[in-house]
Amino acid sequence: MFLGPPGAGKGTQAARVAERLGLVHLATGELLRREVAEGSALGRRAQAIMAAGELVPDELMIAMLKARLSKPEVRMGFILDGFPRTLAQARALEAELGAEGVEAAVLIEVPEEELVRRLLARGRADDDEATVRRRLQVYREQTAPVVAFYRDQGRLRCVDGLGTIDAVEARLLEVLT
Ligand code: AMP
């Protein structure tokens, strides 16, 4: 599981590390953007919420994740990117995975000024300044408790997210292997 604020590089790094380690990359934001592009019922519900930088309701996200985890291709292992974003999601994940649980919760740390700089440079639909600020606030309010949840259990590993993509990837591989 890769944790960290928007702009920390979770998506870029999860894609690389998953490829390197032969794992499936499960990115809930990507899955949602696909639903929006397809105009599915879920996509239509999620679109405005995502555009505002808010979180899609837990019940929808938990159902989406459970559906993914029941597919055969995740059996070889997976990296979660963008989930869990709330304590309720973290608890649902723990319940779903049972005794084995999550093998590693890795926090990618990047200072806030750098996050804002990166997100504004990225130019995604939800990357305008007001939405970026809101997404960072949502992270502090709703997702930081998830980080604390894994830290309190002694299961959190922290990685410095500053530097080149290759350098951060090397640090991640080091804490994972
Ligand atoms: P991301 O690509 O991870 O930055 O996600 C983009 C947007 O999708 C977020 O700002 C949320 O609106 C939504 N989203 C992605 N994952 C979740 C999640 N686990 N819970 C709630 N909303 C999510």
Side-chain angles (χ1 to χ4, degrees), residues 4-7 10-11 27-33 46-58 60-62 64-65 81-86 89 119 122 124 126-127 131 135 138 142-143:
K10 296 185 300 295
T28 48
E30 277 304 321
L31 294 173
L32 286 170
R33 281 187 287 279
Q47 187 164 23
I49 299 170
M50 293 169 75
E54 304 293 337
L55 296 183
V56 175
D58 284 335
L60 294 179
M61 295 311 301
I62 290 165
M64 183 188 202
L65 190 83
D81 155 19
F83 190 102
R85 263 180 157 93
T86 65
Q89 291 179 16
L119 290 166
R122 193 163 73 173
R124 212 167 73 188
D126 55 351
D127 284 342
T131 313
R135 284 164 60 211
V138 165
Q142 303 194 56
T143 310

Side-chain angles (χ1 to χ4, degrees), residues 2 8-9 13 16-17 20-21 104-111 114 118 157-177:
F2 282 7
Q13 294 295 345
R16 288 179 153 230
V17 172
R20 183 65 69 100
L21 301 181
V106 182
L107 174 66
I108 305 179
E109 297 180 296
V110 173
E114 172 67 7
R118 288 186 188 178
R157 305 175 200 183
C158 298
V159 161
D160 176 6
L162 285 178
T164 65
I165 292 174
D166 283 339
V168 177
E169 184 188 4
R171 287 176 209 141
L172 287 164
L173 288 168
E174 200 171 305
V175 301
L176 286 172
T177 52

Side-chain angles (χ1 to χ4, degrees), residues 28-48:
T28 48
E30 277 304 321
L31 294 173
L32 286 170
R33 281 187 287 279
R34 210 172 300 158
E35 299 280 343
V36 170
E38 285 166 3
S40 70
L42 172 58
R44 290 198 304 274
R45 269 195 82 176
Q47 187 164 23

